[in-house]
Amino acid sequence: MIISIMNKIKHLKLNCLAIAFFAFSVNAVFAQIARRAETLKSPDGKLLISFNFSDLKHVSYAFTAYGKTLIGPSALGLDSLNQIGFIQASHRSVNTVWKPIWGKRTIVPDQFNEITIELKAYKIVARAYNNGFAIKYQLPAGSRRSRDLTQFNFSGDYTAWFYNGELHNIGPEKLTEVDGKRLPVMTVKADDHDYMAVHEADLEQGEPLILESKKGSKNFTIASKANAAWRVVMYGRTPGELVDSHMIELLSPPPAKNIDFSWVKPGVAVWDWRINGAKVDNFEYKMSLPSWKRMVDFAAQSSMRYLMLDADWYGPEFAEGSDPVKGGKVAQVHEIITYAKTKGIGIWLYINDVGGRKYPIEQTLKQYSDWGAAGIKYGFMIGDPEDKNIRTRLITELCAKYHLLCDFHDGPVHPYGQMRTWPNALAREYGPAQLDAHRVVAPKTFVTEVFVNMLAGPIDMNNGLADLTQAGRVDEPSPVPSTLVGEAARTLIMFSGVTVIPDIPENYKKHPEILEFYASEKMPWRESKTISGVIGEYISMARQSADGTWLVGAATNEEPRDLEIPLSFLSKGNYRATVIQDSKDSDYRTHKEGYTSKELNVTSGTKVRVKLAPGGGACIILKKTN
């Protein structure tokens, strides 16, 4: 009897323990599932990225800015690795600074919060900055990447603009109107206080980013093959905040510690391609030594840094027999490099993919370095985008090895932050240079591409013509859709490590105030600030030169415009302002070169009003007075 009662009590205890253990297990499972919703905030707490992977098969994220969800639940992951098998999530924070050799400013805050979500097959790494977020996938060594499932499922039918090769940008376009593939940068306006831009950073290898959407959808997927790059969403309360962002560079690694880049010097370059055929004072400019010497003399007198020699100096550029170290005018090139050194001017040499592949590229670049060249302009690279990226990285690295700057033209791979890893990579022709593409370029093109193309990095657009008719030019004697002041302003606004201006000295000397503006563009910039702007309409930009001079450039589309330029970016003290603006009869359609110039005494509290003609602009030089 007693034994029976004891057994019943023991059995009851076991059942209670089982029930308790079951309840604990269920709670642990639910806690684990609940824990599979991770969040990541920007350092200032204004941006939030939430991650959800509670069904064990799919990962998604959403993006909220200032309490408003701009990107709804959107897929993450890699196709063949969709059994995610969550292991753990870890967090870290970074708060430091980047001091670039050159860039938009001398000191760049590098502040972000990061989460690493470790899954069975791979890791998801995400960073939140105060001006956007980025996501990438890390695979174990030897693993093969499959289809990238990353989506951008926008919460509203926002307005977007896209890069479009050497044509005018696509857009403005409603998200639901997009039907097919689009190229980054993709700039998005959600409302008057929320702007985004989709791009990639640190593309080590693989196919460059391609986006895709179907008509009626607000969801964008990745149509390109998976790669190891960061998927980036830049954010700003104004479009100007996107322009001023450094996210793309910050997501790229710093240069290797054993490589010296102290020799890298950004600056303004004069150019021989557009001078060809111009006549003045019984002299006809050609792409040869007498003209090069005149250009070097002008560059030295005007405090500019370089002369860029373009195609055909080593023979017809597309002829396989044109030897890039022995052909054509190579003796004249030796002479101009030697002459330019006496004036403190560096010489860039053009080479295209025919000569670059027909002859050993490393030997060619070493030879240019031995001659004393400052850099190369590389044109017409062949291959698909993935091949181009591999070759571009190879040439950039070789140029760094031999202390050569580089500028890639003619449909290059989009910039993706390479200027941080390889500071010798000064520019790429990422868009329609207006001197070539006048058939598709209009004033609205410039004030669109600065909010789209330029977000990718430093680009070379060859603005700054002084004779807007291009009279007598051999290559393209067609008028340019701008005013004289607008052309000058565009050289400042367009961020680049080499600002290539295309006209002859005599044309610049006709306009001393504008020539002073060009001569004042001394890089590296100490500071940059987008003052105001509307995508496709206008932009105003301030940059502080290496010598402390502040410069302001403003440009407009086809509409005339009155702008108020607040000088609040100035430090305390008194300044003398030279204000250059279009004259009353200026108009890009009649190619008027008229402008007015006036002097003002100003302070940081001053607001300067300027008038911009259709297709025109304004320039301001600000120098501190004692």
Side-chain angles (χ1 to χ4, degrees):
M1 179 77 175
I2 293 173
I3 294 173
S4 175
I5 291 172
M6 292 292 292
N7 284 336
K8 287 181 179 180
I9 292 171
K10 183 178 180 181
H11 180 70
L12 182 61
K13 286 182 177 180
L14 289 173
N15 284 340
C16 289
L17 285 171
I19 291 169
F21 178 75
F22 175 75
F24 174 80
S25 299
V26 169
N27 288 335
V29 169
F30 278 111
Q32 186 180 29
I33 291 174
R35 191 167 57 83
R36 289 176 180 163
E38 297 281 348
T39 59
L40 179 67
K41 286 186 177 182
S42 59
D44 63 6
K46 302 297 176 60
L47 309 184
L48 172 68
I49 304 94
S50 57
F51 299 90
N52 187 294
F53 36 97
S54 57
D55 67 358
L56 305 182
K57 291 184 178 180
H58 302 97
V59 185
S60 66
Y61 77 95
F63 171 56
T64 300
Y66 289 80
K68 179 177 180 178
T69 299
L70 299 175
I71 300 178
S74 304
L76 289 176
L78 299 170
D79 191 28
S80 65
L81 306 171
N82 58 1
Q83 297 293 328
I84 63 173
F86 173 79
I87 297 176
Q88 64 179 351
S90 58
H91 293 258
R92 75 178 182 118
S93 297
V94 170
N95 186 3
T96 183
V97 296
W98 170 43
K99 296 181 179 180
I101 290 174
W102 65 274
K104 301 170 191 173
R105 50 186 53 85
T106 55
I107 298 177
V108 178
D110 187 6
Q111 185 180 18
F112 61 86
N113 293 327
E114 182 181 274
I115 184 172
T116 299
I117 301 170
E118 188 174 350
L119 308 176
K120 184 176 181 181
Y122 58 98
K123 296 177 182 178
I124 299 173
V125 182
R127 288 183 184 177
Y129 294 80
N130 290 337
N131 54 358
F133 68 95
I135 297 170
K136 72 174 180 178
Y137 307 108
Q138 291 182 342
L139 274 67
S143 299
R144 295 185 62 183
R145 294 182 179 273
S146 58
R147 187 166 64 92
D148 191 330
L149 300 179
T150 307
Q151 297 178 350
F152 306 92
N153 185 24
F154 294 97
S155 299
D157 193 11
Y158 306 144
T159 302
W161 294 260
F162 303 87
Y163 172 71
N164 194 27
E166 294 192 0
L167 301 173
H168 179 75
N169 300 83
I170 296 175
E173 185 176 41
K174 287 293 186 181
L175 298 182
T176 54
E177 294 173 353
V178 177
D179 190 15
K181 296 178 180 179
R182 293 288 185 270
L183 296 176
V185 174
M186 172 189 183
T187 302
V188 180
K189 178 183 179 180
D191 55 53
D192 288 341
H193 300 292
D194 293 291
Y195 293 82
M196 292 170 283
V198 179
H199 193 38
E200 66 181 343
D202 191 24
L203 177 63
E204 291 184 4
Q205 58 185 0
E207 186 177 15
L209 180 63
I210 302 172
L211 299 167
E212 187 172 21
S213 187
K214 295 181 179 179
K215 191 174 182 63
S217 173
K218 303 187 295 293
N219 188 28
F220 282 73
T221 59
I222 292 178
S224 46
K225 291 182 288 186
N227 63 42
W230 290 94
R231 301 326 190 187
V232 184
V233 176
M234 300 161 66
Y235 173 82
R237 299 293 277 173
T238 66
E241 289 185 9
L242 299 179
V243 172
D244 294 342
S245 173
H246 292 275
M247 273 191 66
I248 302 298
E249 301 102 292
L250 291 173
L251 287 162
S252 297
K257 291 183 179 180
N258 63 335
I259 302 179
D260 172 33
F261 285 107
S262 61
W263 52 272
V264 171
K265 306 294 182 185
V268 177
V270 294
W271 185 30
D272 75 342
W273 188 252
R274 293 291 172 176
I275 68 172
N276 192 19
K279 297 178 181 179
V280 62
D281 299 331
N282 298 316
F283 181 84
E284 182 175 357
Y285 278 92
K286 297 182 181 296
M287 298 165 68
S288 60
L289 186 61
S291 298
W292 294 340
K293 286 188 173 181
R294 289 172 74 114
M295 298 298 285
V296 164
D297 290 343
F298 169 69
Q301 294 163 5
S302 305
S303 302
M304 297 173 189
R305 187 158 266 160
Y306 300 111
L307 164 63
M308 183 174 285
L309 306 187
D310 217 287
D312 296 339
W313 69 264
Y314 58 87
E317 61 174 321
F318 297 109
E320 292 191 2
S322 295
D323 188 327
V325 296
K326 296 179 181 178
K329 306 167 187 171
V330 66
Q332 295 183 47
V333 168
H334 288 316
E335 188 169 344
I336 194 59
I337 290 175
T338 301
Y339 179 78
K341 280 188 175 181
T342 68
K343 303 282 187 174
I345 301 299
I347 301 294
W348 290 61
L349 300 177
Y350 175 88
I351 180 173
N352 74 8
D353 217 32
V354 177
R357 292 180 187 270
K358 181 71 174 178
Y359 299 87
I361 186 62
E362 182 166 4
Q363 292 180 28
T364 298
L365 296 176
K366 182 180 184 304
Q367 191 68 70
Y368 292 170
S369 178
D370 291 344
W371 292 351
I376 66 159
K377 176 179 177 179
Y378 200 96
F380 293 102
M381 187 179 291
I382 61 172
D384 62 33
E386 185 171 357
D387 293 335
K388 282 186 175 183
N389 187 47
I390 293 171
R391 186 158 179 81
T392 298
R393 291 178 70 94
L394 168 66
I395 293 171
T396 302
E397 187 171 350
L398 289 173
C399 283
K401 179 179 179 180
Y402 295 111
H403 288 200
L404 293 169
L405 307 170
C406 51
D407 178 7
F408 293 89
H409 268 240
D410 310 305
V413 178
H414 55 230
Y416 49 77
Q418 67 282 348
M419 62 166 286
R420 186 183 189 195
T421 310
W422 302 102
N424 61 310
L426 294 194
R428 296 185 183 181
E429 186 191 26
Y430 185 52
Q434 66 180 19
L435 301 188
D436 293 318
H438 61 91
R439 293 172 298 279
V440 297
V441 167
K444 65 180 180 181
T445 304
F446 181 83
V447 290
T448 303
E449 64 188 1
V450 292
F451 295 109
V452 182
N453 310 23
M454 198 171 73
L455 303 187
I459 55 182
D460 178 10
M461 291 286 98
N462 310 145
N463 300 109
L465 203 68
D467 175 8
L468 300 174
T469 68
Q470 296 198 83
R473 311 309 163 90
V474 171
D475 181 65
E476 184 63 85
S478 301
V480 170
S482 179
T483 68
L484 183 64
V485 185
E487 275 289 272
R490 292 175 187 185
T491 65
L492 180 82
I493 295 166
M494 186 61 70
F495 174 58
S496 183
V498 56
T499 299
V500 182
I501 61 173
D503 221 324
I504 62 174
E506 289 79 4
N507 287 339
Y508 291 116
K509 290 176 180 178
K510 292 177 185 176
H511 312 291
E513 297 90 351
I514 289 178
L515 177 55
E516 183 186 358
F517 187 81
Y518 289 125
S520 299
E521 294 185 41
K522 293 180 175 66
M523 292 182 256
W525 303 117
R526 289 190 187 178
E527 187 57 71
S528 298
K529 171 69 175 177
T530 302
I531 300 169
S532 63
V534 174
I535 302 171
E537 296 186 17
Y538 72 94
I539 185 172
S540 61
M541 168 76 69
R543 299 195 194 276
Q544 188 180 27
S545 294
D547 66 359
T549 300
W550 275 96
L551 303 172
V552 176
T556 183
N557 59 8
E558 290 79 356
E559 298 299 319
R561 201 173 301 277
D562 288 355
L563 287 183
E564 186 174 76
I565 309 291
L567 304 183
S568 53
F569 52 84
L570 296 175
S571 58
K572 291 183 179 180
N574 298 314
Y575 291 78
R576 188 67 173 170
T578 302
V579 182
I580 311 164
Q581 56 188 319
D582 297 310
S583 59
K584 291 181 179 179
D585 61 348
S586 290
D587 190 311
Y588 81 98
R589 289 161 294 196
T590 49
H591 310 290
K592 294 290 187 181
E593 296 179 2
Y595 65 92
T596 64
S597 177
K598 62 182 178 182
E599 301 286 323
L600 299 174
N601 293 318
V602 299
T603 67
S604 60
T606 305
K607 296 179 179 180
V608 179
R609 297 197 65 86
V610 292
K611 289 184 177 292
L612 283 58
C619 300
I620 304 175
I621 305 170
L622 295 152
K623 294 185 176 182
K624 201 164 190 178
T625 57
N626 293 328

